[in-house]
Amino acid sequence: MGKIVSGTPFVIRPRVGLLERYPWVRHASADLSLKYAFHDVVTDEALENMGALLWNALVADEPELAGDFAQARQAAGLAILCVVIESDDPAIQQLPWEVLYHPDYAFLGKSPAFTLLRQLPTRPTTLPAPEAGPLRVLLFTSLPDDLDAEHSRLSVEEQQALVLEALASLVNEGVVQLEMPDDGRFATLKQLLGDFQPHLLFLFGHGKFYDAPHMEEPPYAIFQFEADDGRSDLVRDEEIAQAFFGSSVQGIVLSACESGQGSSLALTQGLMWRLSQMGVPHVIGMRESVLERAGILFNQALCRALAQKERIDVALQQARQAITTPLRESIWLKNDAAGVSEMSLGQWCLPALVSQNAAQPLITWTFTPRPQAQTWTNQTLEQISLPPRFVGRRSELRDLKSRWRRGGLRQLLITGPGGQGKTALAGKLAQDLQRRGYTVFAWSAGAEGDWDAFMLEMELTLSPTQAERYTRGVGRLTQEADRIKLLLRLLLAEQERGVVLFFDNLEAVQDAQTLALTDERLRAWLAAAQSVAGPRLILLLTSRWRWPAWPEADHWPLRHAGYGDFLQMALLQNLPPAFLRERKRLREVHRVLHGNGRGLHFFAAAMRNMDAAEEEAFLRTLDEANAELQTNMALARIVAHLNSAERDLLARLRAYQTPVPAEGVVKIGLDLPAPEQLLQRLLAISLVERQYHARWQVHEYQLPHPVVTWLEQQGVPPVARAWRLAAAAYLDYVYRRERPEISQALLVHQAWQAAGEQRRADRLALDRIVGALNRAGLYQTLLKDWLPLIREADDPRIKAEALGQTGKQYFHLGDYDTALAYLQQSRHIRQEIGDKAGEGTTLNNISQIFKARGDYDTALAYLQQSLQICQEIGDKAGEGTTLNNMATTAHARGDYDTALAYLQQSLQIWQEIGDKAGLCATLFNMGHIHRQNGSIQEAVGAWVMVYLMAKKIGLAQALQALAQLAPRLGLPGGLEGWEALARQFGNGE
């Protein structure tokens, strides 16, 4: 029985023109929105001030409102009074009404005496009528693999656990049916909307509202789903809304940032408003960027209240109150890293409800619940050691559960080193299948493996009739496999969904050299299960090693946990909060332990005796944890059974410090017999890790860090230079032919250094890396981590270039004296070696220092020297660049005619040599000079030409400069203004 709510709501209808009469309300609302956007501290005092402005504006505009409200509150008596904000004005609906502050009752949006929601004056012609229960709840979470590990990785596991905790008893009683897929694809959501037909949907993930995306394109919202390859799939609100046609959904909770935002132009823009307008009876969205922990607590409280038959507005009010309480420090550590502290709550007012009729329930509660059938009574799964909360492995769960839904999951062997989470993943799958009605039987090899107890649990599960058939039949069968087949067939005959056989820790019954299974009864069980396998019998197995007879198609080698999942595991280890804030140290722990959960457990245990103030103590603790992990991985035992070729390839794999495709492994094993087969052998015994690179659509292989350090500790000789050269050459080939990106260039640079090819590494850095870091504004990084070593190069040309680049970084930082000193050193070396082109470039850079100081004559003198050199050696590109710099220098001292003359010469050179980038730079500068001269039309014409040319050749730097220029010309943000002007000039094609 829910709380009593007054039958007559109090409807507030702000009058047209409210914001024009009280413009400070709009300004205060915008300021508050910016605080949330930039994660500033939002106090209740700030919310009270905003809420009071809203109330005072309403009363000033309609003086009788205060008295009417007092009468309505009195008439409601002990009942809760529902307060409704009703308006069809989009600008009015964008105000933060949830903080409405009454002088006597304080915040109406979280007071137990009220509920507060929004409503549109016109309703859809029909609303979906509530069905009879049970209440079907879909908690849909999205966690793409490419989220920022520290700032964007959501605790979907905690959200699922808390919702399950809130609803567990009601699920068992048959009052609620709960679906929580570990698959965040939009296609899966659409499938569940049709198959499961939820009454209540929670959409938990990342969202964004774009208020002015492009010219002639209306504002829109997106939700960040998972793509098939695990990366982000940004789906727009319009497409999301289309998925709900024909569904029975009554309420949607959008637990995503900015999902409750809309436009001041129309009430169909934004996810919450679009869903409401199309006819969803109740939609809750977040008005601003909501903190993850607040969203989790809100969803749990809302879920619990709705399942207790509360009206949605009452449940919302209770859920708002639930996120005003203090939160544990450890939970907030991720947000602290993003500049958000526990002080900056202010979250309770972010959930907004748009409801067509708050009194309409999600379901008709007059139904007879059917308690959930208890299909699993045996205790064998409880004997398997599973973590209290499963963390991570989102991509694995998505792929494996998708295979199960398609009927393709019959048998699965999960392999990997000790502590990597094999048992946890298989146990998670088993538990989820159990909740779907499967009966699970589990057996663990080693000391715990008791076949008689395992068999007894199965026999006790049989009904009396089937037990009698089994007793009569088993006595006539002489073969163990035949008795097992009989038992399985009888079990499957009366199980509604099916049976899961979970065999864990099988490396304990494998031969260390051949990897074959040594337990006769296990072999009999596997043979019997495979002979009767079908969609209703599933085999789940875990081992550190894959045995030769097991099919590759049913093998899942488990890769290490990513850094985001590792952080979540660290939160569960009760590490000191101060240490958890040390992200650099956490990344080092993740690297050394290779994301191994058991290694993290060892580290947490060792930390109890660590003095956190001493770096040496930290390193000792990490070494201790790594040593325990290596012992746990049984490395000595495994490596002892390798043949010489396998040992050689294992040792050579240290040449790669990054995952590489199989062809990269072959490159360093060309003299070995069948290197690809050797690689598969190392993979089978978990000495090598395999992962799938979704972007490049290839499997990649890597030697785990604990294996690398163990080999070094055993005195294995360093990798021969020839193989390090082969590895570096392969990575360089991949960079230049397949992956021309800065991240790959960094790997190649590291590989050339490891191979002793410092000159190649320096040349690559100067050609491909320094410029990219410079454009990104990472001047200090270049000065600290890159340029000092290159300046020590033996090659004078490289040394001169590094000195010149150092001068450029100091110039960007405003340290002109230091910049000039480095540039003069660079010029001196270039003169000594006769590098005329380099000298011209250096003279150009020196001129910019004097220009920045306002010494234009000296700057032009250096540029004249540079121009003379360029003309002397026939360097047309250098000549064009120098003329450009001469023009900007003349422009800076106010000599516009001379500047234009230089630019005309530069323009002619770029046209002559066909350099489009040079043309863009020159035209861009010409536009500035025309603007300074008051020739706005000529300036805009030049910039439009830059836009069209840069757009055609993909010159990002020019497009970015134009986007920054647009607001100063009164154009819309971004590039849409330039696109419109291009059409206006008749050059839109």
Side-chain angles (χ1 to χ4, degrees):
M1 179 67 181
K3 290 183 169 58
I4 298 173
V5 182
S6 174
T8 305
F10 185 80
V11 182
I12 298 175
R13 299 182 177 88
R15 293 183 175 179
V16 176
L18 177 75
L19 293 176
E20 286 69 28
R21 290 187 292 278
Y22 309 100
W24 51 85
V25 173
R26 187 200 299 270
H27 297 155
S29 175
D31 289 344
L32 180 63
S33 182
L34 286 174
K35 285 181 178 289
Y36 285 107
F38 291 103
H39 303 295
D40 290 342
V41 173
V42 180
T43 63
D44 266 8
E45 181 181 3
L47 298 179
E48 180 181 332
N49 292 337
M50 181 72 244
L53 283 177
L54 288 169
W55 179 261
N56 293 337
L58 289 171
V59 173
D61 218 36
E62 192 176 352
E64 61 273 18
L65 177 70
D68 293 345
F69 183 82
Q71 291 179 15
R73 177 59 267 173
Q74 184 176 4
L78 294 177
I80 294 171
L81 178 62
C82 175
V83 178
V84 178
I85 307 297
E86 183 180 280
S87 177
D88 57 5
D89 183 347
I92 291 292
Q93 287 288 13
Q94 295 317 302
L95 296 174
W97 292 107
E98 286 66 30
V99 301
L100 189 61
Y101 191 87
H102 189 278
D104 296 327
Y105 299 105
F107 292 111
L108 302 184
K110 67 173 180 177
S111 168
F114 301 92
T115 66
L116 189 144
L117 60 121
R118 299 163 184 251
Q119 185 173 290
L120 302 175
T122 55
R123 296 181 183 176
T125 48
T126 58
L127 290 176
E131 303 174 341
L135 177 67
R136 294 191 293 272
V137 179
L138 171 59
L139 174 62
F140 192 90
T141 58
S142 178
L143 188 65
D145 298 338
D146 55 1
L147 291 173
D148 182 275
E150 293 184 354
H151 302 152
S152 300
R153 202 278 190 193
L154 298 173
S155 301
V156 296
E157 302 89 357
E158 182 180 11
Q159 179 68 97
Q160 291 173 338
L162 291 179
V163 168
L164 183 60
E165 177 186 305
L167 299 179
S169 62
L170 297 171
V171 170
N172 290 333
E173 294 169 11
V175 175
V176 172
Q177 293 178 358
L178 176 63
E179 277 283 343
M180 298 189 300
D182 293 299
D183 183 341
R185 292 176 292 185
F186 184 47
T188 304
L189 174 63
K190 291 190 286 188
Q191 177 187 346
L192 289 168
L193 287 174
D195 296 346
F196 184 58
Q197 288 284 320
H199 303 118
L200 177 63
L201 165 67
F202 288 85
L203 201 56
F204 183 68
H206 286 289
K208 181 70 178 174
F209 180 75
Y210 296 97
D211 196 11
H214 302 287
M215 177 164 280
E216 298 182 359
E217 183 179 15
Y220 64 91
I222 58 97
F223 185 83
Q224 200 168 1
F225 288 94
E226 300 168 12
D228 288 338
D229 60 9
R231 291 184 289 176
S232 295
D233 178 21
L234 306 181
V235 182
R236 291 199 180 193
D237 49 10
E238 182 178 7
E239 188 176 356
I240 296 172
Q242 296 292 320
F244 288 91
F245 282 118
S247 74
S248 59
V249 67
Q250 294 282 329
I252 300 176
V253 182
L254 304 169
S255 191
C257 290
E258 302 181 10
S259 55
Q261 280 194 13
S263 166
S264 58
L265 303 175
L267 285 173
T268 56
Q269 295 165 352
L271 189 52
M272 178 181 75
W273 295 104
R274 188 178 288 275
L275 290 169
S276 179
Q277 287 281 55
M278 68 181 288
V280 178
H282 315 291
V283 186
I284 295 174
M286 302 296 168
R287 291 188 299 101
E288 305 288 353
S289 296
V290 64
L291 297 176
E292 178 197 11
R293 181 62 177 168
I296 289 175
L297 293 178
F298 173 82
N299 286 344
Q300 181 196 30
L302 185 75
C303 220
R304 181 185 292 116
L306 289 172
Q308 296 294 338
K309 306 181 183 179
E310 294 289 4
R311 284 176 31 153
I312 193 163
D313 57 333
V314 176
L316 171 65
Q317 203 85 349
Q318 293 178 13
R320 285 182 185 142
Q321 296 162 14
I323 56 176
T324 61
T325 56
L327 305 174
R328 296 197 320 274
E329 181 184 16
S330 61
I331 296 298
W332 282 87
L333 288 169
K334 289 187 299 178
N335 295 320
D336 287 341
V340 179
S341 69
E342 186 174 348
M343 293 175 57
S344 60
L345 289 177
Q347 300 284 294
W348 66 265
C349 61
L350 297 186
L353 166 64
V354 182
S355 180
Q356 307 298 338
N357 177 14
Q360 177 171 309
L362 299 175
I363 59 170
T364 300
W365 289 100
T366 54
F367 70 98
T368 303
R370 295 180 58 188
Q372 189 178 64
Q374 296 296 319
T375 59
W376 179 70
T377 57
N378 64 300
Q379 303 298 310
T380 57
L381 187 56
E382 295 181 6
Q383 298 172 11
I384 303 293
S385 178
L386 297 177
R389 177 177 297 163
F390 183 82
V391 172
R393 300 296 179 189
R394 182 75 176 197
S395 59
E396 287 91 342
L397 289 171
R398 179 177 57 245
D399 292 344
L400 293 175
K401 289 188 174 183
S402 177
R403 187 192 297 185
W404 170 76
R405 281 196 300 272
R406 296 193 306 268
L409 183 61
R410 300 287 188 271
Q411 57 181 18
L412 181 71
L413 169 63
I414 302 175
T415 63
Q420 205 62 273
K422 305 179 297 295
T423 299
L425 177 58
K428 164 72 171 171
L429 292 170
Q431 289 174 329
D432 288 351
L433 288 168
Q434 173 194 315
R435 293 190 188 101
R436 292 178 177 274
Y438 282 79
T439 300
V440 179
F441 298 96
W443 179 84
S444 181
E448 310 88 10
D450 188 337
W451 283 116
D452 292 336
F454 180 69
M455 292 281 290
L456 180 62
E457 287 291 346
M458 287 190 170
E459 293 166 359
L460 293 175
T461 305
L462 294 170
S463 66
T465 302
Q466 297 289 50
E468 184 179 351
R469 292 183 61 188
Y470 175 69
T471 302
R472 288 202 310 268
V474 76
R476 302 176 183 178
L477 300 173
T478 58
Q479 298 297 319
E480 178 79 4
D482 292 332
R483 291 194 290 268
I484 296 171
K485 288 179 189 177
L486 174 62
L487 178 57
L488 289 175
R489 289 195 181 102
L490 293 175
L491 280 170
L492 289 169
E494 58 185 6
Q495 295 299 321
E496 183 178 350
R497 290 300 301 272
V499 172
V500 176
L501 299 180
F502 178 12
F503 297 116
D504 186 44
N505 195 32
L506 298 189
E507 68 274 4
V509 290
Q510 285 180 258
D511 183 273
Q513 186 165 2
T514 66
L515 306 184
L517 295 172
T518 58
D519 189 294
E520 293 292 341
R521 296 190 73 176
L522 175 62
R523 289 206 297 265
W525 268 97
L526 293 179
Q530 289 168 334
S531 70
V532 298
R536 298 179 60 251
L537 177 62
I538 295 176
L539 271 173
L540 293 178
L541 308 96
T542 73
S543 175
R544 297 187 180 186
W545 316 315
R546 171 192 167 207
W547 51 94
W550 190 263
E552 172 62 26
D554 299 321
H555 175 217
W556 193 281
L558 200 60
R559 59 162 299 199
H560 69 279
Y563 181 58
D565 291 347
F566 195 72
L567 278 181
Q568 293 293 314
M569 290 189 282
L571 289 173
L572 298 178
Q573 288 289 343
N574 294 320
L575 294 172
F579 179 82
L580 289 172
R581 293 191 184 97
E582 292 286 338
R583 294 308 196 217
K584 184 177 180 181
R585 284 186 169 187
L586 270 174
R587 285 191 176 276
E588 180 65 8
V589 174
H590 176 260
R591 184 187 71 84
V592 171
L593 302 181
H594 206 62
N596 190 294
R598 190 169 299 159
L600 180 61
H601 176 75
F602 295 150
F603 176 77
M607 267 200 71
R608 297 191 184 104
N609 300 319
M610 181 182 118
D611 181 355
E614 296 181 9
E615 190 67 23
E616 289 185 8
F618 163 70
L619 296 175
R620 284 197 304 271
T621 299
L622 189 53
D623 286 343
E624 180 182 337
N626 191 31
E628 289 190 62
L629 177 58
Q630 291 167 346
T631 301
N632 183 263
M633 292 169 66
L635 294 179
R637 175 187 173 195
I638 300 170
V639 174
H641 292 281
L642 297 179
N643 62 38
S644 60
E646 291 164 349
R647 285 172 179 267
D648 282 347
L649 185 60
L650 181 70
R652 292 179 192 180
L653 276 169
R654 292 175 296 161
Y656 289 111
Q657 299 179 46
T658 183
V660 294
E663 66 177 4
V665 179
V666 171
K667 291 291 183 184
I668 59 170
L670 292 174
D671 61 327
L672 299 175
E676 289 194 50
Q677 293 181 18
L678 297 177
L679 173 62
Q680 292 305 314
R681 162 71 175 176
L682 297 178
L683 177 68
I685 55 179
S686 300
L687 287 176
V688 167
E689 180 181 86
R690 185 178 76 186
Q691 64 188 64
Y692 185 70
H693 198 302
R695 181 175 181 187
W696 306 113
Q697 298 182 340
V698 65
H699 280 105
E700 296 183 331
Y701 300 83
Q702 180 179 23
L703 203 61
H705 189 273
V707 176
V708 174
T709 55
W710 184 86
L711 290 171
E712 293 170 352
Q713 291 163 4
Q714 302 310 304
V716 175
V719 180
R721 185 167 184 267
W723 301 120
R724 291 196 181 276
L725 284 170
Y730 172 75
L731 290 174
D732 190 77
Y733 170 85
V734 171
Y735 167 60
R736 297 179 189 277
R737 299 293 183 89
E738 299 176 5
R739 308 181 189 181
E741 299 179 341
I742 183 65
S743 58
Q744 186 70 19
L746 294 171
L747 297 175
V748 177
H749 180 269
Q750 185 182 41
W752 283 128
Q753 282 189 315
E757 289 289 316
Q758 189 60 48
R759 186 181 182 283
R760 285 188 176 184
D762 290 343
R763 190 68 264 162
L764 177 74
L766 290 171
D767 292 344
R768 305 297 180 97
I769 297 174
V770 171
L773 298 181
N774 179 278
R775 288 190 293 273
L778 300 175
Y779 313 127
Q780 295 285 9
T781 299
L782 284 168
L783 290 172
K784 178 183 176 183
D785 300 330
W786 287 89
L787 293 171
L789 180 62
I790 305 178
R791 291 200 302 267
E792 301 301 319
D794 295 330
D795 187 321
R797 190 176 297 268
I798 288 177
K799 183 172 185 175
E801 193 170 338
L803 286 165
Q805 285 289 351
T806 303
K808 286 179 65 175
Q809 310 318 311
Y810 279 111
F811 172 77
H812 289 307
L813 292 170
D815 188 347
Y816 300 137
D817 289 336
T818 306
L820 183 59
Y822 277 107
L823 288 170
Q824 292 288 16
Q825 291 180 62
S826 175
R827 182 189 179 191
H828 178 69
I829 294 175
R830 292 185 188 279
Q831 288 174 327
E832 283 186 339
I833 64 176
D835 179 8
K836 289 288 188 179
E839 184 182 356
T841 300
T842 305
L843 288 167
N844 260 285
N845 291 331
I846 291 174
S847 75
Q848 299 307 296
I849 295 175
F850 290 97
K851 175 189 169 186
R853 286 172 164 171
D855 187 351
Y856 304 123
D857 290 337
T858 304
L860 283 169
Y862 277 108
L863 288 169
Q864 288 288 358
Q865 293 180 62
S866 176
L867 184 64
Q868 184 178 350
I869 290 174
C870 292
Q871 291 171 339
E872 177 185 329
I873 65 176
D875 182 1
K876 288 291 186 179
E879 187 178 351
T881 299
T882 304
L883 286 166
N884 251 317
N885 287 334
M886 292 173 75
T888 57
T889 303
H891 179 206
R893 70 177 181 183
D895 191 349
Y896 302 130
D897 292 337
T898 302
L900 278 173
Y902 285 136
L903 288 173
Q904 289 291 352
Q905 295 179 60
S906 177
L907 199 64
Q908 185 177 350
I909 290 173
W910 298 127
Q911 290 171 333
E912 179 184 332
I913 65 176
D915 190 321
K916 300 290 187 183
L919 278 171
C920 284
T922 302
L923 286 168
F924 192 83
N925 290 333
M926 291 180 78
H928 277 296
I929 293 176
H930 285 311
R931 185 185 179 200
Q932 290 288 339
N933 282 335
S935 304
I936 300 299
Q937 188 170 0
E938 290 185 67
V940 171
W943 287 327
V944 168
M945 291 175 65
V946 173
Y947 169 72
L948 291 170
M949 199 178 305
K951 178 183 174 184
K952 186 174 182 179
I953 65 175
L955 189 58
Q957 199 170 358
L959 293 173
Q960 184 179 5
L962 287 170
Q964 294 172 347
L965 178 64
R968 284 182 275 170
L969 299 175
L971 298 174
L975 296 172
E976 55 270 16
W978 295 111
E979 182 67 33
L981 285 172
R983 289 194 295 269
Q984 181 181 331
F985 275 76
N987 296 315
E989 291 300 323

